[in-house]
Amino acid sequence: FRRVLFRSIRSMSIAKPILLQSDPEALGQARITLESGRLVVAPTETRYGLLCRADDESALERLYLAKKRPQDLVTAVFLPSVAEIQRWAKTSQVAKTLVKRFLPGPLTLVLPATDKAKNALSQKIFKQGEIGIRVSTSELISQLSELVSFPLTATSANISGAEAPTSVTEIAEQFGDNVSCYIDGGELSGAVSTVLRCFDENRAGEKVEVLREGALSVVEIQSFLSSTFPGHDIEVIKHE
């Protein structure tokens, strides 16, 4: 028995199927959708994400158009495990330490991209040679990342500038048939992931820039780095 919910999407005047996360067909349908370059909405450990394959320019363009996202805002890449990070990003000692402590989890690290990443992924993923890396604790996201043969990219499942909905029904009302597969994981209202950029400007000492404070606080990050690297002045920058 296939558990598929058909809910009326009033704004789009269509009926859109929504798969329950517990449906055994959900992962397979999401995989087929992503492989074809189309969009998927799925639950992460924080909020719902809008996903597509990271190696397909057309898929990324579809995501940006659906979300009405400015082209200069990049999206992060979901990886199935921390072991995969070395393939796609260059990690300093500070970055390695942050990975070991906080990933998998609600942290996005912005790091220098490897040559492999630059050659294999859409150029929309990068900004000034850097790539955002995310390893989720969501079982569904982890399983989906393992199922496909390419990295996934994701952003929050809302129209740019609008408040992020907490239910898949509300998300479907925003996106309609611009998204080909919706997976319902219940109400999600957790804090967004914290986004940190690790860099060494002109070899003047490594710095950690807080691009977005979310589930992990700046105080927690500063406390961890101070205790891990005593005597080293690792500057944590937060823009007001």
Side-chain angles (χ1 to χ4, degrees), residues 107-233:
L107 173 66
T108 300
L109 284 177
V110 178
L111 305 167
T114 62
D115 289 340
K116 174 183 174 60
K118 293 175 184 176
N119 292 330
L121 304 182
S122 164
Q123 294 308 300
K124 292 182 181 297
I125 296 294
F126 309 104
K127 185 172 184 179
Q128 297 179 337
E130 295 177 330
I131 186 172
I133 296 294
R134 182 105 147 76
V135 183
S136 176
T137 57
S138 163
E139 184 178 359
L140 184 141
I141 296 297
S142 179
Q143 289 176 336
L144 191 54
S145 298
E146 290 280 7
L147 271 180
V148 297
S149 60
F150 44 81
L152 302 175
T153 187
T155 180
S156 56
N158 63 294
I159 302 299
S160 285
E163 187 174 346
T166 59
S167 75
V168 77
T169 304
E170 295 172 302
I171 294 168
E173 287 176 351
Q174 287 192 14
F175 288 107
D177 60 1
N178 287 322
V179 170
S180 299
C181 178
Y182 292 92
I183 299 179
D184 188 352
E187 293 278 330
L188 293 178
S189 57
V192 296
S193 70
T194 295
V195 183
L196 302 179
R197 176 177 174 246
C198 298
F199 68 102
D200 186 351
E201 194 171 54
N202 299 321
R203 299 186 181 277
E206 190 159 5
K207 297 178 174 61
V208 175
E209 182 179 10
V210 182
L211 301 180
R212 181 177 73 191
E213 185 173 14
L216 299 173
S217 70
V218 172
V219 171
E220 185 175 1
I221 298 296
Q222 287 176 319
S223 175
F224 170 71
L225 290 176
S226 296
S227 62
T228 306
F229 298 98
H232 290 74
D233 186 19

Side-chain angles (χ1 to χ4, degrees), residues 7-177:
R7 298 173 180 171
S8 174
I9 310 303
R10 295 185 296 275
S11 60
M12 304 296 291
S13 299
I14 60 171
K16 196 70 185 175
I18 298 174
L19 291 163
L20 295 175
Q21 183 174 345
S22 58
D23 190 321
E25 294 188 30
L27 273 173
Q29 186 59 51
R31 176 183 62 80
I32 292 168
T33 302
L34 291 164
E35 286 177 344
S36 68
R38 293 174 291 159
L39 307 183
V40 170
V41 164
T44 74
E45 76 272 35
T46 54
R47 295 289 184 108
Y48 280 93
L50 179 63
L51 285 67
C52 73
R53 57 187 302 164
D55 61 346
D56 187 328
E57 288 284 339
S58 297
L60 263 294
E61 188 61 34
R62 195 171 287 119
L63 181 147
Y64 275 80
L65 287 172
K67 188 178 168 71
K68 300 178 182 177
R69 185 177 178 87
Q71 294 286 331
D72 61 329
L73 297 179
V74 296
T75 58
V77 170
F78 271 122
L79 297 177
S81 68
V82 295
E84 284 285 302
I85 294 175
Q86 296 294 332
R87 296 179 61 194
W88 306 102
K90 301 172 185 177
T91 51
S92 64
Q93 188 57 47
V94 169
K96 285 185 174 72
T97 305
L98 289 168
V99 166
K100 186 175 181 179
R101 171 63 179 85
F102 295 110
L103 292 180
L107 173 66
T108 300
L109 284 177
V110 178
L111 305 167
T114 62
D115 289 340
K116 174 183 174 60
K118 293 175 184 176
N119 292 330
L121 304 182
S122 164
Q123 294 308 300
K124 292 182 181 297
I125 296 294
F126 309 104
K127 185 172 184 179
Q128 297 179 337
E130 295 177 330
I131 186 172
I133 296 294
R134 182 105 147 76
V135 183
S136 176
T137 57
S138 163
E139 184 178 359
L140 184 141
I141 296 297
S142 179
Q143 289 176 336
L144 191 54
S145 298
E146 290 280 7
L147 271 180
V148 297
S149 60
F150 44 81
L152 302 175
T153 187
T155 180
S156 56
N158 63 294
I159 302 299
S160 285
E163 187 174 346
T166 59
S167 75
V168 77
T169 304
E170 295 172 302
I171 294 168
E173 287 176 351
Q174 287 192 14
F175 288 107
D177 60 1

